[in-house]
Amino acid sequence: RAVTVLAHVLLWLLALAVIVSTNVASERVQVGYSCALFVFSLAIGAFLRQIKAKEAEYKLAAAIYAREPFDEEAFEARSSAYLHDAVALQARDIVREPSSAGMAYLKTRLAPLDSVWDEELPAGMILKTCATTVEALLANLDADATLEARLKYLFNDVVDFSAFLKASDKSIILSFEVLVDFFKGARWTRFTRLRLEAIWALRKTTGGMEVMCDDVLAVEPFGTMLREQEDIKGDSELPVFRRDDVAKLIHALAPNAPESYRQSVDQKALPELLKSLSTEGYPEFHAHFGVVIPGGRTYSHGDSGDEPKPADDAAHLEAVEVSLDHAYVRKKTIFDTENPMRAGANAAPAADAAP
């Protein structure tokens, strides 16, 4: 709108200059002014026509920048580099600073636009536009790590860097210029770039968390001891619950899916089953506790516990307390006797007060 108003103002100023010049200028100057006004009018008309033709495109881009719904059919009909850049930039901002609303918009509105994500761009150009991020990652690389490990840190499995490993010296120092020079002939899709942006954002977040952990452990009295503890990796396999027929069924339903996806589906089946059983069995479970603890109240999430007692009858309250004593008897645990970091660990354990 501002451009349109400016064009009209310039046109009126030129027309006013022509009118004023008729009284003081020669005939040749008047003809020159008239020709200039005619040419300027044609240029302004063409310019305004171009703006009008792009108006729908600008509205689509504005909706994308505001993360609002837009007409996908109109987008595909007016597919252009300008709109593709708008989608890619908005998706990049979402993965760099993810939120539930942003990720939902990316999944439902931006991800289905195949014409955007299938477009190929020079890999060197992509790296140059992400120069600040890539250089920051290169600065955090472990100098003692192998070349493959360093490339894995940068590109994970998104980019095939096997040719780089074969053509380069294993002791080469990775730099931004080296990467740009090697990938200058490659072409990556916009979706590849988006995946790289997500990985680089994850690396940045992980690095920030490591710094925070280092700061916490530096002031923690047992920080050194915690650092020396080995990582505990539990086995995700549960042979007792293994059902080969279920595994075969998952493979039949998704024959072309990667093994990691089928394993994820298989592992999530048990928690979903347990959740369903607990939901169905809760009424019976609640009724049982009503018998074990007569008069007991059920608390839900958000209850403060400061509500008034259900009754002022002393006998009733005493009966509830006795029922609670019989229903719950605290047992000694390893933390009471064998934890070296617990005060008074070597003292003799106190006798149980419960019968």
Side-chain angles (χ1 to χ4, degrees):
R1 178 177 177 82
V3 175
T4 305
V5 172
L6 179 61
H8 283 101
V9 170
L10 292 176
L11 181 61
W12 281 108
L13 287 176
L14 185 58
L16 180 62
V18 172
I19 294 172
V20 172
S21 67
T22 56
N23 298 325
V24 297
S26 63
E27 183 177 353
R28 181 177 298 179
V29 174
Q30 293 179 18
V31 171
Y33 270 118
S34 300
C35 292
L37 178 62
F38 178 73
V39 172
F40 187 76
S41 301
L42 292 179
I44 289 296
F47 183 64
L48 294 177
R49 184 175 182 276
Q50 182 71 11
I51 292 178
K52 193 66 177 178
K54 295 285 186 178
E55 186 176 0
E57 190 172 318
Y58 296 149
K59 288 182 179 179
L60 286 171
I64 292 170
Y65 283 124
R67 298 184 186 179
E68 297 175 349
F70 58 92
D71 189 349
E72 295 182 10
E73 294 183 357
F75 180 93
E76 295 296 347
R78 294 182 173 273
S79 185
S80 64
Y82 175 72
L83 288 177
H84 288 191
D85 288 340
V87 171
L89 290 174
Q90 193 58 226
R92 182 203 63 183
D93 292 343
I94 290 174
V95 298
R96 284 185 176 180
E97 297 182 3
S99 63
S100 57
M103 295 304 294
Y105 188 79
L106 173 61
K107 182 178 180 181
T108 58
R109 295 291 178 178
L110 304 184
L113 302 174
D114 294 334
S115 61
V116 176
W117 306 117
D118 292 340
E119 182 182 0
E120 292 186 346
L121 300 172
M125 184 187 74
I126 292 177
L127 290 173
K128 289 179 180 178
T129 56
C130 305
T132 303
T133 302
V134 176
E135 288 177 350
L137 291 172
L138 289 171
N140 293 330
L141 287 178
D142 185 1
D144 298 329
T146 62
L147 178 60
E148 183 176 1
R150 285 177 284 167
L151 290 171
K152 187 76 171 178
Y153 178 83
L154 288 174
F155 302 112
N156 203 12
D157 58 349
V158 176
V159 174
D160 183 13
F161 50 81
S162 57
F164 188 93
L165 291 174
K166 295 177 182 178
S168 303
D169 184 5
K170 303 301 180 182
S171 60
I172 188 174
I173 299 177
L174 281 181
S175 65
F176 180 74
E177 291 74 17
V178 170
L179 292 175
V180 171
D181 182 65
F182 180 80
F183 289 110
K184 63 182 179 181
R187 296 184 67 84
W188 297 340
T189 63
R190 287 184 182 268
F191 186 66
T192 299
R193 174 181 178 174
L194 180 64
R195 293 180 64 192
L196 288 174
E197 290 279 3
I199 291 173
W200 295 338
L202 178 62
R203 298 283 189 255
K204 181 180 179 181
T205 302
T206 304
M209 294 177 65
E210 289 176 351
V211 172
M212 293 175 60
C213 290
D214 290 340
D215 293 341
V216 172
L217 292 177
V219 298
E220 168 63 39
F222 300 101
T224 304
M225 184 184 298
L226 292 172
R227 286 183 180 278
E228 293 174 352
Q229 294 295 321
E230 296 182 1
D231 293 338
I232 300 175
K233 296 182 179 180
D235 189 2
S236 60
E237 290 286 341
L238 296 174
V240 118
F241 296 106
R242 179 71 180 176
R243 290 289 302 271
D244 292 333
D245 52 346
V246 175
K248 292 178 181 178
L249 179 60
I250 296 173
H251 181 77
L253 291 173
N256 298 324
E259 181 62 27
S260 58
Y261 174 79
R262 293 198 295 268
Q263 184 179 3
S264 175
V265 173
D266 191 6
Q267 291 176 349
K268 289 178 180 178
L270 177 62
E272 290 296 327
L273 175 62
L274 294 178
K275 183 172 69 174
S276 300
L277 291 175
S278 63
T279 302
E280 291 296 323
Y282 179 76
E284 184 178 352
F285 174 79
H286 185 268
H288 172 71
F289 264 87
V291 176
V292 174
I293 310 176
R297 289 182 297 166
T298 301
Y299 290 90
S300 61
H301 180 70
D303 290 339
S304 63
D306 297 331
E307 293 81 0
K309 303 296 182 183
D312 293 331
D313 187 0
H316 170 75
L317 296 177
E318 183 179 357
V320 172
E321 291 175 359
V322 172
S323 299
L324 287 171
D325 288 339
H326 284 284
Y328 176 68
V329 178
R330 186 178 184 277
K331 302 298 182 182
K332 294 190 297 296
T333 68
I334 188 173
F335 296 101
D336 294 318
T337 57
E338 300 180 9
N339 190 348
M341 294 186 290
R342 185 179 177 87
N346 296 325
D352 255 341

